[in-house]
Amino acid sequence: MSAHTRAETPAVTPPDEALVVVRNLTKTFDVSAPLVTRVVERRPRQMIKAVADVSFGIARGRTLGLVGESGCGKSTVARCLAGLVAPSEGELNFAGHVLEVSGAWDSGSRRGIQMIFQDPYASLNPRWRVERSVGDPLLAFGIVETRAEMRRHVAGLLEEVGLAESDGRRYPHEFSGGQRQRIAIARALASNPEFLICDEPTSALDVSVQAQILNLMRRLQREHHLTFLFISHNLAVIDHMADDVGVMYLGRLVELQPKDALFSAPRHPYTQLLIKTVPNVDAIGRTSAPLSGEVPNPMDPPSGCAFHPRCPLATDRCRNERPLPLPLAGGGQVACHAVEDHRTLT
């Protein structure tokens, strides 16, 4: 692929049984001041490109992990795929059907795609009993026809995620954080989805509870043949959950590889530096230097490669020319001039 040719197909390129395909997803937000303020103060409109030309595919039954520092666009990608935010450009394809960017999806797509949010308490209606929160999708999608049938379904879902049937009669504030996330998972499973979008599902939980929720999600994935998009800033969690890993920086996908390849031989300097910040037993007694520098202002991104102000391998080409995705042997892609020029960190 030429360095000056826009990527038209996602990488890692999915097989024929791919469930989710994202092509050149872009989302721009208007963050301008009110019109009167702009006119009086002669200020221009201000736009933020939260996601730019992101492409990937997820095969059925697999998990793609998205990582990156806060503000890199991970959650915006998730919300676009969930239909909560309409993309500005690009194509979203689910189970062979193109999803309209307007968000006017058919009921099959709505039912087949569900999301688990970061804060389980904020994602549940505090005025509804758990039974209603979990059971509402059953009635909305016509999976059940009567309240009695809904209660039986909800009881089974709650037991499947490690709760009791009687918990359905309680309110969200009566549960711990881990229990509330189990409720959110049960609600996501209610519509029998094929694709679950998990946006930092354990980051709001105690460390002692995180492993229980992650193991629960792994088990449910096997039993229900689910496909996951799993978003986290924690590389240890991604290592545990993902099959493929995408690394985002300032709205762009800078590297995408199978998990084992990415953790054993990361190619992009940003990925390499991120992995060095992960604690491990081999580094006990040695100081782990944090990633230096600050994430640039997305309202005024750097020219060329957005990572060049923090990159130890940056050259004039990096400062002036934006790198485009290059295919990697064994699947995946990386957008980096240093990789193309065979320059590496010492």
Side-chain angles (χ1 to χ4, degrees):
M1 182 186 298
S2 168
H4 301 284
T5 303
R6 185 182 184 186
E8 294 295 339
T9 56
V12 175
T13 303
D16 292 339
E17 65 270 19
L19 182 69
V20 179
V21 178
V22 175
R23 289 189 177 92
N24 303 121
L25 175 64
T26 297
K27 178 59 184 178
T28 303
F29 292 101
D30 187 343
V31 294
S32 306
L35 177 61
V36 173
T37 303
R38 297 204 312 269
V39 171
V40 172
E41 299 181 5
R42 298 184 179 181
R43 282 204 252 165
R45 293 180 67 182
Q46 291 183 304
M47 312 295 287
I48 288 182
K49 189 169 280 190
V51 176
D53 289 330
V54 168
S55 298
F56 58 81
I58 313 177
R60 291 179 183 273
R62 291 178 70 83
T63 299
L64 171 65
L66 275 186
V67 299
E69 293 169 286
S70 296
C72 70
K74 306 185 300 294
S75 293
T76 302
V77 170
R79 290 174 181 274
C80 287
L81 271 170
L84 301 177
V85 173
S88 303
E89 298 177 37
E91 180 181 295
L92 307 177
N93 189 296
F94 170 68
H97 301 287
V98 175
L99 302 177
E100 298 294 332
V101 295
S102 65
W105 298 354
D106 59 77
S107 60
S109 298
R110 287 288 183 193
R111 177 175 170 176
I113 301 175
Q114 294 295 320
M115 188 166 179
I116 300 170
F117 296 90
Q118 178 177 354
D119 186 347
Y121 188 65
S123 68
L124 297 170
N125 190 328
R127 295 181 178 86
W128 287 8
R129 297 181 190 272
V130 167
E131 182 179 80
R132 183 177 177 186
S133 291
V134 176
D136 225 37
L138 298 169
L139 294 170
F141 291 113
I143 299 172
V144 299
E145 296 181 356
T146 66
R147 291 282 176 180
E149 193 177 357
M150 182 198 76
R151 292 188 186 95
R152 289 194 296 271
H153 250 79
V154 169
L157 288 166
L158 293 177
E159 290 173 359
E160 190 171 12
V161 298
L163 298 173
E165 177 184 354
S166 59
D167 290 330
R169 295 185 287 276
R170 298 164 64 189
Y171 289 93
H173 72 269
E174 300 180 73
F175 296 90
S176 67
Q179 289 173 323
R180 284 196 287 262
Q181 196 61 288
R182 290 174 187 268
I183 294 167
I185 293 170
R187 181 183 58 185
L189 292 176
S191 65
N192 297 319
E194 297 179 81
F195 179 44
L196 278 187
I197 301 167
C198 312
D199 187 6
E200 301 269 13
T202 60
S203 63
L205 306 178
D206 293 339
V207 174
S208 59
V209 180
Q210 289 183 12
Q212 299 174 22
I213 298 299
L214 293 175
N215 290 332
L216 170 65
M217 296 178 71
R218 288 285 297 269
R219 175 175 65 80
L220 293 172
Q221 182 177 28
R222 291 193 303 269
E223 293 176 355
H224 292 269
H225 309 290
L226 295 168
T227 302
F228 283 171
L229 173 65
F230 198 99
I231 293 172
S232 179
H233 65 277
N234 189 331
L235 283 170
V237 170
I238 291 294
D239 188 23
H240 180 68
M241 293 295 296
D243 299 299
D244 305 301
V245 182
V247 181
M248 292 190 66
Y249 187 79
L250 211 65
R252 296 186 182 274
L253 196 61
V254 297
E255 184 167 359
L256 175 60
Q257 287 205 73
K259 178 188 68 177
D260 292 342
L262 184 129
F263 279 98
S264 62
R267 304 299 302 278
H268 198 282
Y270 177 60
T271 310
Q272 296 174 25
L273 293 170
L274 272 184
I275 291 176
K276 286 183 179 179
T277 66
V278 179
N280 65 81
V281 293
D282 297 327
I284 292 177
R286 287 180 288 172
T287 302
S288 175
L291 189 61
S292 63
E294 298 291 336
V295 178
N297 183 353
M299 295 178 65
D300 185 24
S303 60
C305 174
F307 186 59
H308 84 254
R310 307 170 71 187
C311 181
L313 299 177
T315 64
D316 286 341
R317 184 186 181 195
C318 302
R319 287 182 276 273
N320 297 316
E321 180 185 332
R322 180 172 63 83
L324 294 179
L326 299 170
L328 295 173
Q333 67 179 32
V334 63
C336 180
H337 295 311
V339 173
E340 186 179 3
D341 298 339
H342 305 289
R343 289 179 281 117
T344 60
L345 291 172
T346 56

